[in-house]
Amino acid sequence: MSKPKYYVSRQIVRQALYVSALVWITYATYWLCSNDNNQNVLDPSEYSIYDMNSEQYILQQKLHPPEPSSPSPKPIKKPSGDFKYHSTVLTLQTKMITNDDRGIDKHSLIYNDIFQDHGVDSVFGNLDFNQRCDLYFRNLFSHDHNWVFDPNRQLNDFESEEFKEFAKENEEAFKKAYEEIDSVRVSLRQFISEQWLQKTAVVREQTMSDYLATTRIFNKCYVTNDNKDQIKKNEDFISQQRQILEQSGKQVTPFTNTKFESMLDPSTYGASKFEYRVYPWLSRSFPIYERWTGEVFSNPPNMKQLLKSSNQESKKSINKKASKTQSKFLNQLKNSSNGKGIVISIADKHVDDTVNLIRLLRALKNALPIEIVYNGDLSKESKKKIIIAAREDFKTLPRSFNNVANMFGPGYFDPNQHGLPRQEVWFINTNNVLNNSYKEKFQGFANKLLATLFNSFEEFILMDADTIIMTNPEHFFALSGYVKSGALFFKDRAIFSRRSRGDATMFKKLSPSIVDKLMFDIPIMTDHSLKREFFKGLHHYMESGLVLLNRNKHFSSILLMQQLNFITTITNKVYGDKELFWLAFALNGDEDYQFTDHFAASAGELTPAAERVKSDGVNYQALEICSAHPAHLNPDDGTSLLWINSGFRNCHKANSIDYGSELVLGTKFKNIKTEEAFKAFYSSPLRITHAIVPPLSPDLGLLENIEGEPSGGWMLEGYCSAYMFCGYSSIGGKTTSGESNKLEGKLVTFDESARNLFNYLGDIWVGIE
Ligand SMILES: *[C@@H]1O[C@H](CO)[C@@H](O)[C@H](O)[C@H]1NC(C)=O
Ligand SMILES: *[C@@H]1O[C@H](CO)[C@@H](O)[C@H](O)[C@H]1NC(C)=O
């Protein structure tokens, strides 16, 4: 496939095309203006815009000789974004956008083309939602027949010829500048790369902006356009807009297609064609759905029907009705989701964790179906292990069960049946959903994004294999944040680690623009997103070890999430998939998502007071929990523990630790004296008596103090291969000025029955009898 030149160097291409373009545009304009009363004009259908020998062309040359095209051609287009200052746009903006706190607004270049050719009033005053969709994609296509969202497009490609040329051309100047100003901070290569990034920033940002705007608009126009609420909202929006124009006394001019637009056959830019251009990486097949029994389906199964009856006949998949000619794959995918379930995205290396998780789910009396999503290869042995964990009799319970037996009620454990309830497990292979050309784009963490799109549930809990939940999964769906929005996210540890200021600006530029709102009712980003510490510069914001989503409600945001995965300028700024979930929502204009209030806690046991003594012999005020597990409190009560990450052992990496070097660290766990004792401790289940949510200072900074108290909420101590963090219940203290900057976090003390439950679940997961 050829590269989309339109975006590679749009300006250059434009200028290069100037000569021929000017010629026929002059002609086309003339033709349009004089069509009816100029007897000399020939039947347009007989005329080619490319035909320079035609009578039309020659006549045109005589009437309106083109201006000389050199030495400095006048640009054909007005400066970009002129339309934004048109009085109609300003009126609509004032009336329809009450609050804009972004401080920056960047729009897709397609709008420049649209409003170059059409009066602002004629578009807003005449076109309904579908006509606007049509206009957008017609323009996108007509200005670049090769347009495609290219997942392989490297926006900061240091391997490219352009970069090499740039580096070579400026070699001497860069060397000089480098030695004078920057040789301490970075290498010469880095220095030049930075210059390149700066030089190409404008093009890069515009390309990203166009990609994302086009994805958003495509989704709203052609994927979720069958949603009744959306249709109603669109109609209200358009009529409100017309009312505003009427009241303001605007003269609405009729809308006419340009000559060029009217020459496009709708099949060239329509929804079904453009699905291939916006999502070229999709093969447009469903994944393979394999039940634990070995039954295999090629369409999303209807779990409810399937589970209700063991009758062979009812085991139908849901998509019978969709016809083969229906090319709107994504719409069909959206329609096919059904029911509630648990989704776990894994590879072979996660199989032991997965087995433990399934045992845990049995202990929690889980009745939801579980979909294990993998990309390409999950070995037969792995599947077998998982099925055994889900289906074999589970009758031997750890001794710690005695302390919690009354919590689960009668019928929890049926010794005459299979012991703990068996699980309905499915394997979903996403390998064939991807076009071969793009398979390598979904390695590693990105599988989780695919799992989000291709599991079969309408509502699901997406978990990592090493995520531990402390309560029955159904309770998660009842959390108020989820009920309210259909998308509940959890925050990460609020670790003092900053991102560059430019990040916030970039994400604002990529978010929906004012014209996206006025044309398509795609809301601009508000404080709901902008007030988050991420935009103030906090590096880690979301913890994606557990995510709750309603796929139907947020289908278009989930699609945008996949697209973000291809843009390395974005993925370089976030760790793995972590932030992509909520950022996709924010960048999609879908702010109907909720985060829990608390940042992640440190869960485990308090460091004994005897080990919390300062050099002057006084005890620290700040309590401490050192734990390798970020923990998440129930947002609805603020005191119960919902889930933790990184398995249930004290140290998830227990089998690959250099115990000798951890033993000599000597700062924590002072009562552990030998390597063997360390290994035994790391391998055993985490015991949880307390949790601490450390405070975060409003400016995200450290609270230096003269009392020797912690200045930040989290400290990395090097234990558990540096996966263990110590969290503090307070930070700051008296400062040199005599005042106190102390901030308190949150300490939760779990009661006896909660501790017993954690012990039981820990024993189940680790496999202790
Ligand atoms: C999806 O469902 C909607 C409404 O329920 C329907 O209008 C649409 O045709 C369906 N799409 C496909 C591809 O089956
Ligand atoms: C896969 O992508 C390539 C390159 O973009 C394209 O030529 C091919 O038609 C695609 N195949 C399918 C099955 O969509």
Side-chain angles (χ1 to χ4, degrees):
M1 175 161 286
S2 69
K3 269 202 153 186
K5 297 196 178 60
Y6 181 53
Y7 286 94
V8 173
S9 55
R10 201 184 156 103
Q11 297 305 332
I12 293 168
V13 171
R14 282 214 175 132
Q15 274 166 23
L17 286 174
Y18 169 73
V19 179
S20 56
L22 182 65
V23 167
W24 73 255
I25 282 182
T26 311
Y27 166 73
T29 314
Y30 172 74
W31 183 84
L32 280 174
C33 298
S34 57
N35 193 11
D36 289 337
N37 43 23
N38 192 325
Q39 299 304 313
N40 290 326
V41 171
L42 306 175
D43 177 356
S45 65
E46 294 297 306
Y47 168 69
S48 159
I49 58 169
Y50 296 109
D51 184 1
M52 301 217 174
N53 295 320
S54 74
E55 287 177 48
Q56 266 305 332
Y57 180 77
I58 295 161
L59 171 72
Q60 200 47 40
Q61 292 292 21
K62 281 191 200 139
L63 290 172
H64 299 276
E67 293 170 37
S69 58
S70 54
S72 61
K74 253 199 295 180
I76 300 170
K77 307 262 168 179
K78 287 187 218 152
S80 76
D82 250 13
F83 68 88
K84 284 163 86 170
Y85 308 101
H86 187 283
S87 65
T88 297
V89 171
L90 293 176
T91 305
L92 292 175
Q93 189 179 337
T94 319
K95 294 265 160 68
M96 305 190 95
I97 301 178
T98 44
N99 239 328
D100 184 359
D101 296 321
R102 298 166 305 155
I104 200 159
D105 184 72
K106 188 167 184 63
H107 62 271
S108 156
L109 278 188
I110 307 308
Y111 292 116
N112 290 5
D113 296 331
I114 291 175
F115 292 110
Q116 177 65 32
D117 293 339
H118 299 282
V120 166
D121 296 315
S122 79
V123 171
F124 288 110
N126 293 301
L127 303 191
D128 66 19
F129 182 79
N130 294 333
Q131 290 166 326
R132 293 176 187 198
C133 294
D134 199 69
L135 181 65
Y136 186 92
F137 288 95
R138 214 173 334 138
N139 271 272
L140 180 55
F141 177 77
S142 81
H143 284 89
D144 179 8
H145 290 189
N146 297 328
W147 187 89
V148 65
F149 187 128
D150 181 2
N152 289 325
R153 177 89 191 278
Q154 291 297 323
L155 293 168
N156 42 3
D157 191 352
F158 299 118
E159 302 302 317
S160 69
E161 286 309 312
E162 286 94 335
F163 172 67
K164 285 175 194 153
E165 228 165 80
F166 171 82
K168 207 165 143 208
E169 264 172 25
N170 301 295
E171 199 175 353
E172 287 311 309
F174 282 154
K175 265 192 186 148
K176 195 152 166 273
Y178 172 69
E179 267 146 31
E180 275 170 21
I181 57 174
D182 232 358
S183 60
V184 179
R185 191 174 60 90
V186 290
S187 69
L188 176 64
R189 161 97 189 170
Q190 267 173 306
F191 179 76
I192 297 176
S193 303
E194 285 176 13
Q195 306 304 310
W196 170 251
L197 283 180
Q198 260 173 36
K199 180 184 145 70
T200 53
V202 174
V203 174
R204 186 170 47 251
E205 279 179 355
Q206 189 63 58
T207 307
M208 289 192 285
S209 169
D210 293 357
Y211 273 1
L212 296 189
T214 300
T215 302
R216 285 193 285 268
I217 294 166
F218 180 84
N219 291 344
K220 185 153 189 187
C221 286
Y222 303 125
V223 180
T224 61
N225 55 329
D226 58 15
N227 180 299
K228 295 212 170 60
D229 291 341
Q230 182 183 310
I231 295 170
K232 175 80 175 57
K233 274 179 78 179
N234 285 344
E235 282 168 359
D236 293 349
F237 171 79
I238 299 286
S239 69
Q240 190 200 352
Q241 213 166 52
R242 289 193 181 149
Q243 238 168 35
I244 294 171
L245 292 185
E246 247 166 57
Q247 282 162 5
S248 65
K250 295 276 180 212
Q251 198 70 41
V252 173
T253 49
F255 180 90
T256 43
N257 280 327
T258 63
K259 171 89 178 126
F260 204 7
E261 283 166 357
S262 59
M263 285 200 286
L264 290 182
D265 186 86
S267 68
T268 55
Y269 58 84
S272 52
K273 274 280 159 38
F274 252 81
E275 192 179 280
Y276 286 85
R277 291 168 175 266
V278 180
Y279 300 101
W281 51 274
L282 285 172
S283 70
R284 268 147 272 268
S285 298
F286 286 116
I288 304 292
Y289 304 83
E290 181 185 9
R291 200 179 173 206
W292 60 269
T293 53
E295 294 161 278
V296 176
F297 300 81
S298 65
N299 282 331
N302 186 332
M303 297 265 178
K304 220 180 203 162
Q305 252 180 37
L306 198 67
L307 299 183
K308 227 185 241 162
S309 153
S310 54
N311 178 351
Q312 278 303 115
E313 274 178 343
S314 71
K315 291 181 182 174
K316 285 175 190 155
S317 55
I318 195 166
N319 268 314
K320 276 268 160 90
K321 273 178 281 162
S323 78
K324 277 265 182 327
T325 51
Q326 171 67 267
S327 56
K328 290 173 76 182
F329 171 75
L330 291 171
N331 186 270
Q332 199 180 328
L333 178 67
K334 177 169 84 68
N335 279 8
S336 67
S337 67
N338 64 94
K340 267 185 202 168
I342 295 171
V343 178
I344 311 165
S345 153
I346 72 164
D348 278 322
K349 63 180 174 190
H350 303 118
V351 71
D352 291 342
D353 285 340
T354 310
V355 162
N356 293 338
L357 175 57
I358 284 176
R359 293 165 56 86
L360 179 81
L361 287 168
R362 292 182 75 165
L364 288 168
K365 252 168 109 173
N366 170 55
L368 295 173
I370 302 167
E371 291 188 341
I372 312 275
V373 185
Y374 66 99
N375 185 359
D377 50 342
L378 189 64
S379 68
K380 279 218 168 73
E381 293 77 69
S382 295
K383 287 183 182 173
K384 207 167 146 190
K385 281 185 190 170
I386 290 169
I387 293 169
I388 288 173
R391 306 301 302 183
E392 77 173 351
D393 289 0
F394 193 160
K395 290 185 173 170
T396 317
L397 298 188
R399 236 167 309 165
S400 49
F401 175 65
N402 295 331
N403 299 325
V404 295
N406 57 345
M407 264 184 229
F408 291 100
Y412 172 67
F413 180 80
D414 184 349
N416 300 320
Q417 268 286 321
H418 305 285
L420 296 180
R422 302 200 288 183
Q423 303 290 295
E424 173 69 22
V425 173
W426 289 71
F427 298 100
I428 301 192
N429 183 352
T430 57
N431 184 54
N432 65 324
V433 307
L434 298 174
N435 179 318
N436 277 332
S437 314
Y438 307 107
K439 285 213 158 116
E440 84 288 0
K441 294 277 169 189
F442 282 94
Q443 304 290 331
F445 78 84
N447 276 322
K448 214 160 134 186
L449 303 179
L450 278 186
T452 311
L453 184 60
F454 282 104
N455 73 77
S456 77
F457 303 119
E458 180 172 349
E459 298 182 86
F460 56 91
I461 310 178
L462 176 67
M463 277 189 233
D464 289 348
D466 63 348
T467 291
I468 306 289
I469 58 176
M470 300 293 186
T471 181
N472 184 287
E474 285 284 2
H475 295 160
F476 283 81
F477 292 108
L479 293 171
S480 60
Y482 177 76
V483 171
K484 200 166 137 193
S485 69
L488 182 62
F489 303 137
F490 293 83
K491 292 181 191 166
D492 204 349
R493 299 176 178 117
I495 290 169
F496 175 75
S497 165
R498 298 240 194 187
R499 52 178 60 253
S500 84
R501 265 179 206 288
D503 290 8
T505 314
M506 184 189 87
F507 285 115
K508 286 178 194 174
K509 283 183 183 167
L510 300 182
S511 70
S513 61
I514 287 167
V515 62
D516 286 340
K517 165 71 188 173
L518 298 183
M519 282 285 278
F520 297 104
D521 197 20
I522 296 174
I524 61 165
M525 199 156 66
T526 71
D527 277 354
H528 183 71
S529 303
L530 295 170
K531 279 258 166 73
R532 300 188 180 279
E533 286 84 354
F534 178 90
F535 281 96
K536 289 193 211 162
L538 193 67
H539 204 269
H540 298 286
Y541 189 72
M542 173 165 171
E543 216 261 76
S544 61
L546 188 150
V547 169
L548 280 159
L549 283 173
N550 180 318
R551 192 164 70 134
N552 260 12
K553 193 163 176 197
H554 298 292
F555 195 71
S556 64
S557 298
I558 292 172
L559 283 174
L560 192 81
M561 202 179 291
Q562 320 291 322
Q563 305 284 73
L564 295 186
N565 177 48
F566 300 119
I567 305 179
T568 46
T569 310
I570 292 176
T571 54
N572 285 345
K573 292 190 185 298
V574 296
Y575 181 83
D577 57 290
K578 268 163 43 75
E579 315 292 341
L580 294 184
F581 286 89
W582 75 275
L583 277 176
F585 277 64
L587 297 181
N588 193 35
D590 176 5
E591 287 190 316
D592 198 5
Y593 66 87
Q594 294 288 314
F595 264 99
T596 55
D597 288 340
H598 292 112
F599 280 95
S602 188
E605 292 170 300
L606 292 172
T607 304
E611 290 181 33
R612 295 286 294 148
V613 183
K614 300 186 211 178
S615 50
D616 59 2
V618 178
N619 265 79
Y620 285 99
Q621 294 159 28
L623 301 174
E624 178 189 83
I625 294 174
C626 297
S627 166
H629 307 266
H632 302 274
L633 298 175
N634 183 331
D636 290 349
D637 62 27
T639 54
S640 61
L641 185 59
L642 272 184
W643 64 283
I644 66 174
N645 206 337
S646 304
F648 223 135
R649 298 179 198 280
N650 277 307
C651 175
H652 203 35
K653 301 265 157 191
N655 287 330
S656 56
I657 296 283
D658 176 358
Y659 284 99
S661 65
E662 301 220 352
L663 187 62
V664 300
L665 286 172
T667 53
K668 306 286 166 192
F669 309 113
K670 290 181 182 164
N671 57 342
I672 300 180
K673 309 276 197 234
T674 65
E675 292 185 24
E676 292 69 38
F678 238 115
K679 180 154 194 193
F681 169 63
Y682 276 3
S683 307
S684 59
L686 173 76
R687 296 305 178 202
I688 306 171
T689 58
H690 294 83
I692 286 176
V693 184
L696 176 66
S697 78
D699 67 355
L700 316 181
L702 296 173
L703 299 184
E704 300 300 346
N705 62 88
I706 55 173
E707 291 187 84
E709 291 290 325
S711 55
W714 293 93
M715 191 82 115
L716 188 59
E717 287 287 350
Y719 289 94
C720 187
S721 286
Y723 278 92
M724 187 172 289
F725 282 80
C726 298
Y728 298 97
S729 65
S730 66
I731 58 174
K734 231 178 241 135
T735 63
T736 43
S737 70
E739 282 166 30
S740 174
N741 59 10
K742 187 174 177 184
L743 284 179
E744 292 284 352
K746 178 168 180 143
L747 173 72
V748 177
T749 307
F750 297 110
D751 65 17
E752 179 88 21
S753 68
R755 290 178 193 189
N756 287 338
L757 177 66
F758 304 148
N759 289 347
Y760 169 59
L761 297 178
D763 290 349
I764 288 274
W765 196 92
V766 172
I768 288 179
E769 302 212 331

